Amino acid sequence: MSIITDPLVIGRVIGDVVDDFTTTMKMSVTYNTKQVYNGHEFFPSSLTTKPKVQIHGGDMRSFFTLIMTDPDVPGPSDPYLKEHLHWIVTDIPGTTDATFGKEVMKYEMPRPQIGIHRFVFLLYKQKRRQTVMKIPTSRDLFNTQKFAQDNDLGPPVAAVFFNAQRETAARRR
C-alpha cells in the first residue's frame, strides 16, 4: 500500500479543482517577502496586493496563463458557489513573472467569511501567445477545468495553494 504525500492531493486541490496532473514547471508565489507553500496559512490582511509569481525553467518561446481561485465559497463545509475567481493573467513570457503578462481579471484579495478557505494558483502552458480568448464574465461559479478546456490549455504545469480564514479584530493586531 502506497502512502499519498502530495500536498495537492491531501489538500483536495486535485479532485476539487483539477484532475491529477504532472508538475513540469516550477512556480514561486510570494506575498511581500513571504513565499506560498502548499497548505500554509496566511492572514487576509497580508494579501491586499497581488503577489509576485515567478516561473522557473521557461524559455523565450513559452507563454503561460495563471489562475487564482477559491474552491470553498461560501464555506468549505458547503461550497455550493465554488469556485470564486480571484485573478487571471495570460501571455506571461516563460522567462519572466506574472507582472509581464496580460491581466484579464484583476487581482481580488481573499476575503473568506466562513471557515478555512483554500486559495489555489494554477499555471498552464499556452500553445502559443494569445491562446486565451474566452474570458469569464463573472468571478462567481468559475470552473477552472472548463476554462482550461475552452481555451485549449491542457492540464496545469504547476500549482500551489495556501489557506486563509476570516480575521477577528484580535488576530489583526
Side-chain angles (χ1 to χ4, degrees):
M1 182 168 125
S2 65
I3 297 173
I4 297 174
T5 59
D6 184 339
L8 296 173
V9 173
I10 294 167
R12 296 183 341 270
V13 170
I14 292 175
D16 287 356
V17 182
V18 293
D19 291 332
D20 196 15
F21 70 96
T22 301
T23 301
T24 58
M25 298 291 297
K26 188 170 190 282
M27 168 180 65
S28 61
V29 179
T30 309
Y31 280 96
N32 300 316
T33 59
K34 294 185 179 175
Q35 185 163 348
V36 173
Y37 294 102
N38 285 320
H40 286 209
E41 185 169 351
F42 281 81
F43 294 123
S45 59
S46 68
L47 308 170
T48 57
T49 59
K50 60 185 162 190
K52 181 172 185 160
V53 179
Q54 292 183 292
I55 301 165
H56 308 279
D59 58 45
M60 295 294 284
R61 296 177 311 273
S62 303
F63 292 94
F64 296 87
T65 293
L66 175 74
I67 297 170
M68 179 186 176
T69 184
D70 174 358
D72 299 317
V73 178
S77 61
D78 186 18
Y80 64 90
L81 294 175
K82 70 175 172 184
E83 300 165 41
H84 183 80
L85 178 61
H86 282 268
W87 196 26
I88 295 180
V89 183
T90 66
D91 297 328
I92 304 166
T95 56
T96 61
D97 60 53
T99 58
F100 291 93
K102 178 182 174 189
E103 190 175 51
V104 296
M105 279 297 239
K106 297 225 176 283
Y107 177 78
E108 179 183 274
M109 72 172 275
R111 288 188 182 98
Q113 296 300 309
I114 304 166
I116 299 171
H117 289 235
R118 297 165 292 165
F119 293 90
V120 182
F121 293 92
L122 295 148
L123 186 69
Y124 291 86
K125 187 173 184 182
Q126 298 174 198
K127 291 189 163 79
R128 64 192 175 289
R129 191 176 196 145
Q130 297 179 337
T131 297
V132 177
M133 299 300 203
K134 297 178 181 168
I135 306 303
T137 55
S138 171
R139 292 179 184 269
D140 294 321
L141 299 172
F142 180 73
N143 185 308
T144 299
Q145 292 194 86
K146 183 173 179 349
F147 177 83
Q149 183 179 22
D150 288 350
N151 288 286
D152 197 25
L153 293 174
V157 295
V160 66
F161 79 100
F162 66 88
N163 297 317
Q165 61 184 310
R166 184 177 181 175
E167 291 178 74
T168 62
R171 286 183 76 195
R172 279 187 224 132
R173 291 185 193 166

